[in-house]
Amino acid sequence: MGKRETFPLKQETDIVLIRQRVRKYAEEAKLGIVSQTKIVTAASEIARNALIYGGGGECVVEACSRDGRSAVYLCISDSGAGIADIDRAMVDGYTSGSGLGLGLSGAKRLVDAFAIDSAPGQGTRVELWKWR
Amino acid sequence: MVERIPILKMGNFLLLSIQVDMHDQLALDLQEDLTAQIVKHRSRGVLIDISALEIVDSFIGRMLSHIAQVSRILDAKVIVVGMQPAVAITLVELGLSLEGIATALNVEKGMRRLEKMVDDDMILEPESGEARDISVEAGD
Ligand SMILES: Nc1ncnc2c1ncn2[C@@H]1O[C@H](COP(=O)(O)OP(=O)(O)OP(=O)(O)O)[C@@H](O)[C@H]1O
Ligand SMILES: [Mg+2]
């Protein structure tokens, strides 16, 4: 197993740090510049959701491989209110706040694999993969 | 971390370069500072250089849209310049359209475009300059 780190996600500035670390892992996995930008942007969206809607949590970043290709894996979790209707939350333009409703659906488009696990009262966990 | 993003005045225009990773407070401060400077200098245009930004997410997108909207109300044109190609590709896939925000490849092109936007505006609406001065004065 590759390098793995866990970062706290308690305040705005933690998102900045997470973006920088994800960029580093993406560079080390030798992802192209567009792929790097996509996984960093996706991380930023999901981390902000965890902070705003989930009341904060943490982010695991891991260097791994997928079918022999180097990859970056992210797991961003919180123990907030959770999402009652995941399908609705994943629709472009749906927001319960004042956002554009693009974070979840957009992040899914930006990565190679995406998983979300959430239930009311159980918090939310989003996993993202981007490979070379 | 940087406390504030500097805003430079150049003639009728304001220039700013976003060089750092934005976070909420910085974005709010920037919106406030910029609005105050537009009013203070009666600026006709704002050029925002984002060539140093490694990503634009929905948060930054919203900030840019907000700046453009407020500037429009204050009768100043806005142009965003220098977006990195990888950022542009990612924005499209994210679904962020940055509708209503003028863009240019680099600062020089952006400056020329901004000058033209402001000139065109003065030809089309000869009265607007006056009306604007009065409303600004009334607010003082
Ligand atoms: N971690 C989370 N915990 C609880 N609810 C969440 C979480 N993440 C997303 N949601 C819900 O899903 C909705 C859609 O999220 P999404 O990120 O797509 O849009 P947004 O955050 O509202 O706007 P944007 O991301 O475009 O600024 C949110 O409005 C919120 O109701
Ligand atoms: Mg969001």
Side-chain angles (χ1 to χ4, degrees):
Chain A
M1 223 183 59
K3 195 163 87 172
R4 181 192 173 101
E5 287 176 280
T6 303
F7 301 97
L9 184 46
K10 301 280 172 229
Q11 56 191 18
E12 260 301 306
T13 45
D14 291 336
I15 300 178
V16 174
L17 184 75
I18 288 169
R19 282 204 295 256
Q20 289 164 358
R21 295 308 296 164
V22 173
R23 170 76 65 177
K24 191 97 184 79
Y25 274 73
E27 280 169 7
E28 282 168 8
K30 301 210 160 55
L31 299 189
I33 181 74
V34 174
S35 290
Q36 286 178 26
T37 307
K38 286 181 177 177
I39 185 74
V40 175
T41 306
S44 187
E45 293 295 342
I46 302 302
R48 189 174 303 279
N49 281 352
L51 188 63
I52 295 175
Y53 303 111
E58 60 174 39
C59 174
V60 174
V61 189
E62 193 181 310
C64 58
S65 73
R66 175 105 176 191
D67 303 330
R69 294 193 280 184
S70 53
V72 180
Y73 165 78
L74 303 178
C75 179
I76 297 171
S77 56
D78 64 66
S79 42
I83 302 172
D85 188 341
I86 294 179
D87 288 342
R88 186 180 59 174
M90 291 298 304
V91 170
D92 261 352
Y94 172 78
T95 176
S96 64
S98 58
L100 300 169
L102 288 174
L104 280 177
S105 51
K108 186 178 180 187
R109 281 192 291 272
L110 292 175
V111 297
D112 292 317
F114 179 97
I116 179 166
D117 189 11
S118 183
Q122 307 284 300
T124 299
R125 193 181 72 200
V126 177
E127 294 171 284
L128 309 168
W129 289 261
K130 190 88 189 165
W131 48 80
R132 216 182 144 194
Chain B
M1 234 166 267
V2 179
E3 307 275 293
R4 257 181 152 88
I5 293 172
I7 300 172
L8 310 177
K9 177 181 175 295
M10 201 175 112
N12 284 330
F13 298 144
L14 296 177
L15 313 181
L16 63 106
S17 186
I18 302 179
Q19 302 274 359
V20 288
D21 252 320
M22 294 298 289
H23 54 84
D24 266 352
Q25 196 52 49
L26 207 53
L28 291 176
D29 290 346
L30 175 61
Q31 288 170 4
E32 231 173 76
D33 289 351
L34 189 59
T35 315
Q37 299 267 337
I38 291 174
V39 172
K40 182 174 169 206
H41 301 299
R42 299 178 186 185
S43 304
R44 301 307 317 266
V46 179
L47 183 138
I48 304 176
D49 170 31
I50 61 164
S51 56
L53 279 192
E54 293 192 334
I55 67 151
V56 171
D57 60 3
S58 63
F59 169 75
I60 308 261
R62 217 165 33 240
M63 179 193 82
L64 292 174
S65 296
H66 189 259
I67 287 176
Q69 276 172 26
V70 172
S71 305
R72 198 170 301 143
I73 294 171
L74 296 172
D75 202 20
K77 310 286 177 196
V78 172
I79 193 154
V80 171
V81 307
M83 187 185 294
Q84 293 177 15
V87 172
I89 293 168
T90 301
L91 264 188
V92 172
E93 208 149 311
L94 185 63
L96 211 66
S97 61
L98 293 191
E99 234 172 280
I101 300 181
T103 54
L105 274 185
N106 55 41
V107 175
E108 293 83 46
K109 288 193 169 130
M111 241 3 226
R112 253 181 280 149
R113 176 92 187 280
L114 196 56
E115 276 160 3
K116 189 163 183 313
M117 280 156 69
V118 168
D119 286 350
D120 287 354
D121 197 47
M122 303 232 261
I123 294 163
L124 283 172
E125 300 167 61
E127 309 288 312
S128 74
E130 268 172 50
R132 184 168 156 276
D133 281 354
I134 291 164
S135 63
V136 168
E137 234 114 65
D140 281 348

